[in-house]
């Protein structure tokens, strides 16, 4: 965008937004709008009041990942020899994207590793496999975060967070909201055992021997690079992938791979980069928890840093945002003839009584604005179009 594009007048912008803001479907609304180039606040409403955010928490998780890990960082799933002859151990490395789909086809996640690649490597090793155990110990602690509803496992939003999964625990590997398994690590081991000619019921959890010459690696596969996985988790608002990336950040910072470790890693990373997290209360990395509380100001600070000139390491965050009327969770919003189609890029958030929208928009004067809107207290079906109307007003603003 041109550096000399005029910035909106806060007074004019407020007047343009007011008709959309008067919609009672917005419920209890907090929000913030910023000039990305200068960092100047253009509009705010209870911006520092913490609210239940929904999935816009993923903006914070993605930012912390970009600030902590290299873009090409990968996680590894391995198979090692066990303690007895013929025993193999599937060792989870924190990758939920391993797919049961055959090599040469696409699983749910972009460029995911394939289970049949592990099987081929095991066959090439010449080992006569007699038993299989699953080592799930890299992730310690609870597999369900505070504030989650276990009904969301069958509902397809989440699976227990374990260190190895097939297609994020989906029973249908290509469906966004496929019912999930309650035992993703064991199910992955069972699928591997079945392909090796073993009884799936014989698979159990255990611990791999130390990586010594007595316990060599027999097979391994790697996830897609972090940059690819971040785009998947943001565009599709994938809760499982967000949580495992949170655990990945925790491990990189020397913290336990737990929900507490992940949220501490995320908040400390943001604090160290100058973001004010004092009012943030996170229980997970995905925003699925109804116990999460964050302010619109915090999210908007991160988006402004990504869109502005001073934090280039966060610029890739913008490429992960869904595009209005085009991709991911915005594919069916802002549809033409909406003037915002293609011009709004934003992360959505939705829980019972919670709707959020946070991202960037180019206004009619070609000025880049960041915005965060958080609605609590009304049904998403009503709040979403009301939020979209506010973002559309931002797009239509010359407001000089």
């Amino acid at each position: 965008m041109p550096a000399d594009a005029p910035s909106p007048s806060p007074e004019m912008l407020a007047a343009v937004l007011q008709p959309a803001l008067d919609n009672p479907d917005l419920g209890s609304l907090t929000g913030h709008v910023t000039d990305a180039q200068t960092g100047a606040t253009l509009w705010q409403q209870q911006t520092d009041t913490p609210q239940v955010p929904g999935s816009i928490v993923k903006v914070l998780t993605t930012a912390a990942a970009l600030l902590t890990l290299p873009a090409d960082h990968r996680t590894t799933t391995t198979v090692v020899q066990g303690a007895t002859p013929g025993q193999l151990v599937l060792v989870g490395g924190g990758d939920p994207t391993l797919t049961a789909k055959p090599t040469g086809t696409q699983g749910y996640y972009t460029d995911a590793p394939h289970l049949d690649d592990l099987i081929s490597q095991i066959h090439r090793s010449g080992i006569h496999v007699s038993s299989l155990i699953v080592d799930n110990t890299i992730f310690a602690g609870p597999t369900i975060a505070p504030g989650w509803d276990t009904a969301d496992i069958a509902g397809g939003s989440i699976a227990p967070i374990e260190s190895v999964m097939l297609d994020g625990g989906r029973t249908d590997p290509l469906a966004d909201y496929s019912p999930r398994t309650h035992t993703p690590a064991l199910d992955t081991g069972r699928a591997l055992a079945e392909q090796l000619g073993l009884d799936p019921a014989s698979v159990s959890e255990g611990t791999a021997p130390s990586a010594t010459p007595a316990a060599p690696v027999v097979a391994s596969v790697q996830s897609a690079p972090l940059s690819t996985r971040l785009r998947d988790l943001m565009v599709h608002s994938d809760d499982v992938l967000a949580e495992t990336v949170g655990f990945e950040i925790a491990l990189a910072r020397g913290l336990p791979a737990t929900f507490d470790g992940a949220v501490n890693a995320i908040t400390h990373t943001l604090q160290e980069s100058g973001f004010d997290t004092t009012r943030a209360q996170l229980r997970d990395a995905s925003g699925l928890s109804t116990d999460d509380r964050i302010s619109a100001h915090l999210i908007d600070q991160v988006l402004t840093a990504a869109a502005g000139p001073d934090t280039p390491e966060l610029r890739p965050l913008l490429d992960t945002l869904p595009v209005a009327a085009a991709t991911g969770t915005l594919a069916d919003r802002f549809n033409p003839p909406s003037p915002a189609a293609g011009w709004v890029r934003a992360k959505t958030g939705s829980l019972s009584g919670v709707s959020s929208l946070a991202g960037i928009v180019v206004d009619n004067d070609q000025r880049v604005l960041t915005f965060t809107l958080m609605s609590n207290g009304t049904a998403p079906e009503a709040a979403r179009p009301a939020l979209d109307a506010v973002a559309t007003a931002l797009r239509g603003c010359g407001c000089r």
Side-chain angles (χ1 to χ4, degrees):
M1 295 296 103
D4 60 351
S7 181
S9 153
E11 294 77 18
M12 289 294 294
L13 178 61
V16 167
L17 291 180
Q18 198 58 52
L21 294 172
D22 286 339
N23 190 336
D25 288 336
L26 290 172
S28 174
L29 180 73
T30 64
H32 202 105
V33 177
T34 303
D35 181 326
Q37 185 171 323
T38 65
T41 296
L42 300 176
W43 173 85
Q44 59 180 302
Q45 179 168 300
Q46 296 183 305
T47 186
D48 291 319
T49 300
Q51 294 229 85
V52 183
S55 282
I56 61 171
V57 166
K58 295 182 177 75
V59 171
L60 305 183
T61 301
T62 296
L66 291 169
L67 293 167
T68 303
L69 298 160
D72 60 355
H73 190 262
R74 301 172 187 259
T75 56
T76 304
T77 302
T78 57
V79 176
V80 302
Q81 289 188 15
T84 60
Q87 183 185 73
L88 294 182
V89 184
L90 173 64
V91 183
D95 182 15
T97 72
L98 182 69
T99 183
K101 300 292 287 183
T103 297
T105 63
Q106 193 72 260
Y108 182 82
Y109 299 102
T110 305
D111 298 333
H114 292 262
L115 185 70
D116 62 7
D117 189 356
L118 285 176
I119 293 163
S120 296
Q121 293 178 56
I122 293 168
H123 286 321
R124 288 197 299 270
S125 74
I127 295 173
H128 177 71
V129 185
S130 58
S131 64
L132 179 71
I133 63 175
V134 179
D135 186 338
N136 192 34
T137 56
I138 191 174
F139 288 176
T143 60
I144 299 293
W148 284 8
D149 185 344
T150 54
D152 287 331
I153 299 174
S157 293
I158 203 68
I161 303 304
E162 298 185 333
S163 65
V164 60
M165 303 188 190
L166 287 175
D167 299 292
R170 290 171 173 82
T171 55
D172 178 345
L174 298 182
D176 284 340
Y177 288 98
S178 164
R180 312 288 179 113
T181 171
H182 287 260
T183 54
L186 268 178
D187 283 359
T188 306
R190 289 164 181 157
L192 180 61
E194 187 171 17
Q195 293 296 312
L196 293 172
L198 303 177
D199 179 3
S202 69
V203 177
S204 61
E205 291 197 32
T207 305
S210 299
T212 66
V217 173
V218 176
S220 67
V221 290
Q222 288 192 314
S223 71
L226 177 68
S227 56
T228 300
R229 291 179 284 129
L230 290 179
R231 188 173 189 279
D232 275 0
L233 84 84
M234 288 283 277
V235 167
H236 301 294
S237 200
D238 191 272
D239 296 313
V240 165
L241 193 50
E243 299 302 338
T244 55
V245 167
F247 283 24
E248 202 173 328
I249 299 167
L251 289 170
R253 290 186 60 103
L255 296 171
T258 62
F259 292 108
D260 285 347
V263 298
N264 286 335
I266 291 165
T267 54
H268 291 162
T269 298
L270 296 174
Q271 283 174 355
E272 290 165 4
S273 295
F275 301 108
D276 182 6
T277 64
T278 53
R279 295 178 181 86
Q281 173 186 291
L282 293 180
R283 296 292 181 260
D284 62 9
S286 66
L288 186 64
S289 175
T290 56
D291 293 342
D292 289 336
R293 299 289 187 277
I294 56 175
S295 68
H297 191 197
L298 172 58
I299 295 289
D300 201 67
Q301 278 185 303
V302 172
L303 290 167
T304 301
D310 299 327
T311 319
E313 59 269 34
L314 285 181
R315 186 58 59 83
L317 188 154
L318 303 184
D319 291 329
T320 70
L321 294 171
V323 179
T327 60
T329 55
L330 286 186
D332 60 353
R333 292 170 66 171
F334 301 97
N335 291 321
S338 169
W343 292 102
V344 168
R345 301 189 70 134
K347 182 71 197 74
T348 57
S350 184
L351 296 170
S352 179
V354 175
S355 296
S356 301
L357 191 67
I360 64 171
V361 60
V362 181
D363 74 7
N364 266 335
D365 283 333
Q366 296 187 294
R367 194 74 172 187
V368 179
L369 312 179
T370 66
F371 66 91
T372 300
L373 305 167
M374 297 168 58
S375 166
N376 281 195
T378 57
E381 295 76 15
R384 284 177 197 144
L387 292 172
D388 293 355
V390 178
T392 301
L394 288 172
R395 162 60 189 157
C397 190
C399 300
R400 283 178 278 168

